[in-house]
Amino acid sequence: MWKHISVNKAIDSLATALSGPPALAFAPAISLAAYWTGGERALIVVALALPVVFAMAASTASRTGKRAKGDGGLAPIETFAHEMGALLKNPRSDHEAACMIVELDGFPEFLDLHGNAAGQLMADQFRSRILSVIRSQDIAAGLDQGKIVIGLSSSNTLDLEACIQMSGRIQTAVDEPIVLNGTSVYVSCSIGFCLQSTLSDHTFADWIEAASAALCEAQRNGPATIRAYTAETQRRARVRANLRSEFLAALDSGEIRPWFQPQISTDTGQITGFEALARWEHPQKGVVGPQVFLPFAEQADLMERLGQVMRHHAFAEMRDWDRAGVMVPRIGVNFTSDELRDPALIDRLKWELDQNDLTPDRLAVEILETVFSRRPDDVITRNVTSMSKLGCCIDLDDSGTGRASIASIKRFDVSRIKIDRSFVAKADRDAGQQQLVSAILTMAERLSVETLAEGVETPGEHALIAQLGCDRVQGFGIGKPMPFEKTLDWMATHQNKLNGMPKIGRKAGP
């Protein structure tokens, strides 16, 4: 197949040469040679034939350019699939070929931080650098803005070591800095590849799936990593596929549901709300925390589905609190950037609230500070501002870790700042921690924004945070996350403790 391609490339190269301006320089010489060898009749024939030849060459060159360059030199994916599929049908025992996928590390985050125009510049540079490294007989196609698939042509010198060397050259080219608004920006790429001889099946879909599995394994081991597809890669990919199916089944069956952690007022001690935290109640492994399954859910693109399930259960259980005569003012639900990019989010959220007879003000939309600090795109901005206008409380989660600007807090109409537990820990014994918390609380007060401290674990931390002026507290020292069935008993016990106890807060004292 590649021999056939080489012949086609020779024809295409000839057509390109004849269609270009340099070819016109030879027209007088060709005409003179025809006159000397064949006289006037030959001269007339050549004079009539040359325009036709040049026109046909130009047409061929045009078709070649359209066929070969789908996107700045990249072949259309259909052409890539056809040529790689043909290669699989005609393998040579003494030759090896490979399918390689290259993806920019952290490209979605780059888009969030720098915007679409910078992302397009980055993608263009990425593409041109890939094309400058691969051989003329190889073929490349775009899978995404920051992802390119490469077909390494059949050769008797291509092997595992040669693929690794090629991958290293690609990474070196991509690693060169890109100038963005006068500043050098450095990026890296991860690479997964599959040699033809390691394929168990022989279709293009199997080949590209194997290269994708190798790429995923590379990305799990950190940026700028290279991995080859092996039988072990296939086994691990099947395990992950089974885990994905198990995770989806757990979402549907109700094994994954919210547990609730209480939030209380520092002035009165009264319950002001709960935060809904995901837990997997696995029938064999017991309760599995989010640190185990959230990274997998992100890699499997299941965060949006998880968010929908969490809201479904959280809203239904808030309705059950209401029916039990227990007033829980507000429930906090985490929203990921994937969910916030959904154009239909607001309509879905309105429907979910209406189904459970809940008003928007009883929902606290918890958004990580890093989402705001990465220059969110238009859809995220529109969704967050729409939820604020709807009446939802917008919580800036893990405040202090993402460096969100004051302008972002005002722009998105943030209702409450949640101070990250890393600032709260040992604040009653560490003067530096106290200064950090005090600075955050002062800023919040001047912005007229409520505050809630996370990770409060000891009475000393609770007392200090209250005295510094924080409005709400949450943490193991208040109450651990618990399933819905235990919340009613916890609230009753907590209320009994409040009876006859002195208040902890800014108003406490003689």
Side-chain angles (χ1 to χ4, degrees), residues 2 123 195 328 379:
W2 293 103
L195 290 163
V328 176
V379 178

Side-chain angles (χ1 to χ4, degrees), residues 12 28 38 95 105 146 162 192 216 250 274 409-410 412 419:
D12 293 341
H95 281 53
D105 295 320
C216 289
F274 283 88
I409 295 174
K410 299 301 291 183
F412 293 102
I419 304 171

Side-chain angles (χ1 to χ4, degrees), residues 2 92-98 135 137 152-160 162 195-196:
W2 293 103
R92 294 181 58 180
S93 59
D94 58 338
H95 281 53
E96 184 69 274
R135 305 166 300 177
Q137 65 266 37
L152 299 181
S153 63
S154 181
S155 168
N156 59 2
T157 60
L158 187 67
D159 55 14
L160 178 63
L195 290 163
Q196 183 180 0

